[in-house]
Amino acid sequence: MTTDLPVPSTRPAPGTLTFSAPRRGKAPQHLSDLDMDGRRAWLAELGHKPFRADQVSRHYFERLVTDPEQMTDLPKAVRDDLVGTLLPTLFTPVRNLSTDDGATVKQVHRLHDGAMVESVLMRYPGRVTMCISSQAGCGMNCPFCATGQAGLTRNLSTAEIVEQVVAAARFLRHGDLAGGSDGAGSTEEALRVSNVVFMGMGEALANYRRSVDAIRRLVDPSPHGLGMSARGITMSTVGLVPAIDKLSREDIPVTLALSLHAPDDELRDELVPINTRWKVDEALDAAHRYYETTGRRVSIEYALIRDINDHAWRADLLGEKLNARGRGWVHVNPIPLNPTPGSKWTASRPGVEQQFVERLRAHGIPTTVRDTRGSEIDGACGQLAATV
């Protein structure tokens, strides 16, 4: 197996955090990098009529169309130039890998500069959940995560984040994800009440402005954006406390998911190096403030690693820490660790996992073991490394 992802010349040293992405050529500016006012101003500067931005936006976000020949409401004389300017190609498909009888698909994309990213599409009864990337690679360096071990290549642009969802919507509309209908209908029907989770490659809050702008494109109504429900979007973070507080003030009611993985600082310093900046209690306090500000219940993500963090006493400690901040504000998702190449760790034994869950529930903490879809295609949590 080889990788096409341009990565740092050496893997980051254990515990090293990378917040500043290496400088690389910018992605071409795209319609979805801007809000509607910005699009109109851009076209006016180029000598086009500003309202053309509304027309092209509707084709992109509602009809999921990028072919100028299908945009017959645009003057033929300017159609190619207009569409080529507003909708440049952001990435090209490398391959799709499927499992679960075609109901789970990992999409591998090559960006304009050769960097590669992955996203995962999963159909469940009544909904489609999509896991998207916010960075090529990741600078958070968690030792059990394939993405973190690869290091950070660069931040994605707002449009590169959004295009993952739009491309998936086209995929659904074409009927290419098993379990759906023939794909006819509106964008909303094509997305199938889709949930989008920022749990792919990268730490989205380390690429804060572009990630939040991408959320706005996803939730703004057509022709401004895709018109999704903010309540169907989850922002995952390893615990960048100032960014969590900033997100709580954005007035976008997305769900916050805190990747905790250990309730004690000694172990979390090793498993989640950001803990050397902001400790367990600081991260939990920020998560609780997010709940208080937004009213949105927080998810705690906890990868269960055999004989490392799956002890009953750690379940008790986690339950005590969560209850110390109140009741009803949090839900815990234990996740059986997904295997990654060369890792010394593996998932907890089933009996140990069940005991961990029962101890949390004994503290009154709502707890649901996360479904680990896509592990056969390296598409599950912690496995995305853009390999082909």
Side-chain angles (χ1 to χ4, degrees), residues 192-274:
R192 302 282 175 193
V193 195
S194 184
N195 298 320
V196 170
V197 294
F198 283 75
M199 294 183 182
M201 300 173 70
E203 164 61 50
L205 293 187
N207 187 18
Y208 184 89
R209 191 70 267 153
R210 297 175 187 90
S211 296
V212 170
D213 285 348
I215 292 173
R216 295 192 186 281
R217 299 299 102 77
L218 297 181
V219 303
D220 284 346
S222 178
H224 300 261
L226 271 174
M228 296 179 61
S229 168
R231 296 179 182 274
I233 297 174
T234 297
M235 174 64 76
S236 177
T237 178
V238 292
L240 279 66
V241 168
I244 293 172
D245 288 330
K246 189 175 181 181
L247 182 66
S248 71
R249 298 189 293 269
E250 293 283 353
D251 196 28
I252 313 175
V254 299
T255 297
L256 178 73
L258 174 63
S259 295
L260 194 69
H261 308 310
D264 54 304
D265 288 322
E266 181 179 7
L267 179 58
R268 195 169 191 260
D269 282 350
E270 178 185 355
L271 295 181
V272 189
I274 197 68

Side-chain angles (χ1 to χ4, degrees), residues 61-97:
F61 284 116
E62 189 171 311
R63 296 186 60 215
L64 309 176
V65 166
T66 58
D67 180 3
E69 293 305 310
Q70 297 185 49
M71 304 184 191
T72 54
D73 56 340
L74 301 176
K76 192 170 182 60
V78 300
R79 193 181 298 163
D80 287 348
D81 177 57
L82 189 62
V83 175
T85 298
L86 290 181
L87 301 176
T89 299
L90 296 174
F91 54 65
T92 55
V94 174
R95 68 185 301 190
N96 292 329
L97 298 170

Side-chain angles (χ1 to χ4, degrees), residues 39-55 75 78 82 86:
R39 297 170 209 168
R40 292 167 181 159
W42 184 21
L43 280 189
E45 290 174 5
L46 296 172
H48 292 286
K49 295 178 180 178
F51 74 87
R52 299 294 182 200
D54 301 59
Q55 293 175 298
V78 300
L82 189 62
L86 290 181

